[in-house]
Amino acid sequence: GETLHCRLQWVPLEEGEALLLVEDRTEAMRLERMRRDFVANVSHELRTPLTIVRGYVETALDAPTPLPPPLAGYLEQVHAQAVRMQRLVEDLLTLAQLEGTQPPPAKWVDVGELLETAAAQARGVAPEGLTVEVDFPPQPGAILGVRTELESALGNLALNAVRYTPAPGRVVIGARAAENGEGELFVRDTGIGIAPEHLPRLTERFYRVDRARSRDRGGTGLGLAIVNHVAQRHEARLFIDSAPGKGSEFRLRFPSGRWREGEAVK
Ligand code: ADP
């Protein structure tokens, strides 16, 4: 009862002849699904033990009698690493879900609310001297899509902007109409920027320009892979403009059928 997945390719030859190539992709798709499920299962199994480790460490750190100095330092390290692993596990689960499931039904999602949610998230982690602004169009409108996925995409872009922008600096999260009824969400920063040779690979899982820097800033290496999947599920395109030492702008461009200006209908 399994579906057969085939890839068809039409190859024109000379004298009016042609070849029809039929490639059986069933086994390849089955292996891909196994890989996805395995990652999702492992991530899920790691959730509970991580929560427990973190819980005990927090209890120990909050103990009424303060711990002797070297011990407190060690425990703080354990805590930081547990938090980091939790972030990784959550991102892996998000990615597995985006790769392996059909999107839930699309609804009109208020653009103004999306911008404010991402800005609040970014402000929560922005250091002193890094301002996070929202750039509202006159009529923010709405996007036809999945709210949680759009929030996660814009949130990841906003967190990256904060992560890779030293203070003093500026992050702007906004929306604008584009040509032919299309529209885009954007996140702009005055940060370290990205050299052109890295751009094509940026949305690959675990691809980072500077591994140590990403890790120090709490990155998982999965943010842009998540953004890219959300974009695909919304028929949106991801554009990146960046200049090393000046800053970056990430844009998610939505087709006219998914973008509406004016008052949002909830
Ligand atoms: P990470 O968790 O490492 O930030 P991402 O997938 O979100 O992983 O991003 C991949 C890499 O792209 C980052 O490690 C960083 O090198 C680069 N990057 C992403 N956003 C920005 C930005 N706003 N400015 C500069 N570099 C960025």
Side-chain angles (χ1 to χ4, degrees):
E2 210 188 339
T3 320
L4 197 66
H5 294 275
C6 292
R7 180 186 281 159
L8 301 178
Q9 200 184 347
W10 184 251
V11 188
L13 302 174
E14 283 162 30
E15 297 172 11
E17 295 189 334
L19 270 181
L20 177 62
L21 298 178
V22 182
E23 184 193 357
D24 183 357
R25 301 268 307 151
T26 313
E27 182 61 10
M29 304 244 325
R30 195 180 65 84
L31 288 174
E32 175 60 20
R33 194 166 52 242
M34 275 177 63
R35 180 195 67 77
R36 254 186 347 244
D37 290 352
F38 179 73
V39 172
N41 289 339
V42 171
S43 310
H44 194 80
E45 292 297 323
L46 285 172
R47 248 183 178 170
T48 309
L50 276 173
T51 309
I52 295 171
V53 169
R54 185 176 170 178
Y56 275 111
V57 173
E58 283 172 4
T59 309
L61 283 169
D62 289 345
T65 42
L67 296 160
L71 213 52
Y74 299 155
L75 277 184
E76 258 148 36
Q77 276 302 317
V78 174
H79 186 251
Q81 297 302 324
V83 169
R84 191 172 138 219
M85 280 177 77
Q86 275 185 324
R87 247 195 314 257
L88 196 55
V89 161
E90 291 311 314
D91 277 0
L92 281 170
L93 278 170
T94 303
L95 205 52
Q97 191 175 10
L98 290 171
E99 287 178 337
T101 62
Q102 289 298 313
K107 299 196 174 117
W108 286 103
V109 181
D110 188 291
V111 166
E113 284 173 21
L114 277 178
L115 301 182
E116 289 294 1
T117 306
Q121 222 183 326
R123 284 186 193 116
V125 292
E128 179 108 354
L130 188 57
T131 59
V132 178
E133 291 160 35
V134 171
D135 183 1
F136 271 110
Q139 300 202 300
I143 295 169
L144 187 59
V146 182
R147 174 185 294 276
T148 49
E149 293 185 8
L150 293 168
E151 279 178 356
S152 149
L154 199 61
N156 269 301
L157 292 178
L159 288 178
N160 275 349
V162 168
R163 201 169 275 150
Y164 302 107
T165 305
R170 184 164 174 251
V171 171
V172 183
I173 304 168
R176 57 169 92 92
E179 60 265 30
N180 303 322
E182 299 190 324
E184 53 189 36
L185 300 175
F186 65 87
V187 177
R188 192 167 61 227
D189 65 56
T190 57
I192 60 173
I194 303 155
E197 65 264 27
H198 294 291
L199 293 179
R201 299 195 55 193
L202 232 44
T203 58
E204 288 174 21
R205 279 170 259 169
F206 297 117
Y207 186 87
R208 292 123 149 165
V209 174
D210 179 342
R211 205 183 173 76
R213 183 171 195 134
S214 158
R215 197 176 34 226
D216 290 349
R217 301 300 163 99
T220 62
L222 295 173
L224 289 180
I226 291 173
V227 173
N228 197 39
H229 275 286
V230 172
Q232 282 173 16
R233 280 157 79 99
H234 288 79
E235 301 157 280
R237 283 168 294 158
L238 175 66
F239 297 105
I240 310 172
D241 301 305
S242 189
K246 294 220 171 80
S248 313
E249 184 175 75
F250 287 73
R251 295 181 286 136
L252 277 173
R253 167 88 63 110
F254 295 85
S256 59
R258 286 185 176 266
W259 183 269
R260 188 170 67 203
E261 287 183 63
E263 289 300 299
V265 177
K266 291 193 189 147

